[in-house]
Amino acid sequence: MSVHLNAFSSFRHCGKFLLPSCVRCLHKMQPLLNFWEPDKKSGYNTKIVKPKSQLVKEGLREMRGEVDKFKDEVIRKFRCDSAFPVFHGDYEIVWKFDNKEAVDSWVCTADTDHNEGKSAARFVLGPSKKAVFCGSLNVEVPKDGINKMAGYCNIRSPKNMISFKRPRPYEWSDYTHMLMRVRGDGRTYQIVINMDRIYDLQWNDQYNYPLFTRGGPYWQIAKIPFSKFFLSAKGRVQDKQEAVQLDRVSTIGITIADSNPGPFELHIDYIGLIFDENHTDKFEYEMYEVPSYVFS
C-alpha cells in the first residue's frame, strides 16, 4: 500500500520540518542558504595532518597489499561474475562482525565529538563474537546559542575502496532487500544509506528507514525492502522522492536519535543483501504534484 509523505514535506535543504523522532536524521546542520555547497561534509571534516615522510613510509608499507588487491580485481574481471544472474533467495553477507578488524573498520561518532551534546557511544566486539553498539543518549542541549537539539549516536560503514585507495560505490542493484540479524533493547534505531552523488546539491542525500527492535534475549532478522527507504537531506524529508540508486551507495549507517535519554545497546551479527523475486515494487511512496512556484 502506498504511503503519503506530504505530511513531512519540505523544501530541498531549506525546509522547516524535521524528521519524526522515531526516524530523525543524524544531521542537525543549518539550512543551506547559498547556491552552492562549499564543503562535502558541511563543516564536519576532521583533518589529520601527517609529515610527508610518514605518508611515504605508510604508502610503501601498504603497496604490496594494494598490488595483491589489484590482481584479485583483474581475476574477477576475467571471470565475469557479474554476468551471471541472481536467483530467488540468493544472498550476500556484506559485513560479518565476528572479528575485531571488521568492527574497527566502522566509524562510531556521537554529538560529543562535534561539541553538539553530551551523548557517548562505543562500537566494540562483544564476548559472543558479535558487534555491540552501545552507549548513553543525552538530550541536554549545549548552552552555546547555536544548537537547538541534541542527542544522537551513530555508526557508519567504511567506503568501498578498491586497489590503490580508489573509492568506488557499492553495487547492490541485483538485490531487493537489506538483511540484518540484530538483538536490540526495544528502542527504535534508524538505518541510513548515504549516497555517492556528483553535484554539490546532492552531497547530503541519504535514504532512511527505521529499525524497530523487540528487546529481550532473542535475536531477530530484519528483512527491509529498499523500496521502503525515503529520501532526506540534512534531516529533512524531500518533496521530490525517488527510489534508491543501488549502484551509487557510498556507505550505510545506524543511528539512534529517538529523544529518549538513557543507555542503549544493539548487538549486530551481520548485515547483508538478499534477492526476493516476489517483491516487485520499485518505490513504496505515493508522489504528488508540486506547485510550479515551489523549487525543490
Side-chain angles (χ1 to χ4, degrees), residues 105-133:
S105 65
W106 282 55
V107 179
C108 182
T109 58
D111 51 17
T112 312
D113 300 323
H114 304 288
N115 298 320
E116 295 179 341
K118 299 180 180 179
S119 303
R122 297 186 305 147
F123 190 55
V124 296
L125 184 66
S128 60
K129 297 296 182 181
K130 304 290 189 295
V132 180
F133 177 39

Side-chain angles (χ1 to χ4, degrees), residues 9 12 24 53 58 105 116 124 145 148-149 223 244 272:
S9 62
R12 185 171 189 81
R24 196 172 54 185
S53 57
E58 292 179 355
S105 65
E116 295 179 341
V124 296
K148 298 180 181 179
M149 304 174 68
K223 181 183 175 184
V244 185

Side-chain angles (χ1 to χ4, degrees), residues 5-214:
L5 282 178
N6 54 344
F8 310 116
S9 62
S10 64
F11 295 116
R12 185 171 189 81
H13 289 199
C14 56
K16 55 184 178 182
F17 296 103
L18 289 174
L19 291 173
S21 60
C22 65
V23 291
R24 196 172 54 185
C25 187
L26 166 65
H27 298 286
K28 294 178 174 63
M29 297 172 280
Q30 295 296 323
L32 179 63
L33 301 178
N34 302 325
F35 287 102
W36 60 287
E37 180 75 66
D39 184 5
K40 198 162 188 176
K41 288 198 173 182
S42 300
Y44 283 83
N45 277 315
T46 302
K47 295 183 178 179
I48 301 177
V49 180
K50 295 182 179 180
K52 291 184 178 180
S53 57
Q54 183 179 351
L55 293 175
V56 172
K57 290 180 181 178
E58 292 179 355
L60 293 175
R61 193 181 307 121
E62 296 179 2
M63 179 64 69
R64 183 175 180 179
E66 297 300 318
V67 171
D68 293 339
K69 190 183 295 186
F70 179 74
K71 291 179 181 178
D72 293 338
E73 293 170 7
V74 173
I75 294 173
R76 286 198 300 269
K77 189 72 173 179
F78 280 102
R79 275 197 336 215
C80 300
D81 291 341
S82 59
F84 294 96
V86 177
F87 298 99
H88 175 69
D90 286 353
Y91 67 91
E92 176 185 350
I93 302 301
V94 184
W95 292 284
K96 175 69 173 175
F97 300 105
D98 57 356
N99 59 80
K100 190 174 185 300
E101 183 179 357
V103 174
D104 290 343
S105 65
W106 282 55
V107 179
C108 182
T109 58
D111 51 17
T112 312
D113 300 323
H114 304 288
N115 298 320
E116 295 179 341
K118 299 180 180 179
S119 303
R122 297 186 305 147
F123 190 55
V124 296
L125 184 66
S128 60
K129 297 296 182 181
K130 304 290 189 295
V132 180
F133 177 39
C134 59
S136 179
L137 203 66
N138 192 321
V139 297
E140 181 182 348
V141 180
K143 298 179 180 180
D144 55 6
I146 300 176
N147 295 284
K148 298 180 181 179
M149 304 174 68
Y152 71 83
C153 299
N154 176 73
I155 54 174
R156 178 180 59 81
S157 71
K159 290 187 176 182
N160 183 31
M161 307 295 289
I162 61 175
S163 59
F164 303 109
K165 305 297 182 182
R166 293 173 295 163
R168 176 172 293 180
Y170 289 102
E171 171 56 77
W172 295 347
S173 301
D174 292 331
Y175 301 96
T176 58
H177 293 70
M178 180 177 291
L179 198 65
M180 304 176 64
R181 185 171 185 263
V182 299
R183 182 171 63 186
D185 50 7
R187 301 183 68 158
T188 301
Y189 296 80
Q190 179 189 179
I191 303 174
V192 182
I193 300 179
N194 298 296
M195 305 305 296
D196 182 30
R197 306 290 199 193
I198 298 175
Y199 299 105
D200 57 354
L201 189 65
Q202 300 175 310
W203 281 346
N204 293 284
D205 284 2
Q206 53 185 212
Y207 287 83
N208 313 84
Y209 195 76
L211 173 64
F212 302 103
T213 61
R214 290 196 292 259

Side-chain angles (χ1 to χ4, degrees), residues 197 207 226-227 229 241-245 282-283:
R197 306 290 199 193
Y207 287 83
F226 286 115
S227 59
F229 284 82
Q241 292 285 323
E242 60 181 7
V244 185
Q245 291 178 284
K282 299 300 182 183
F283 196 59

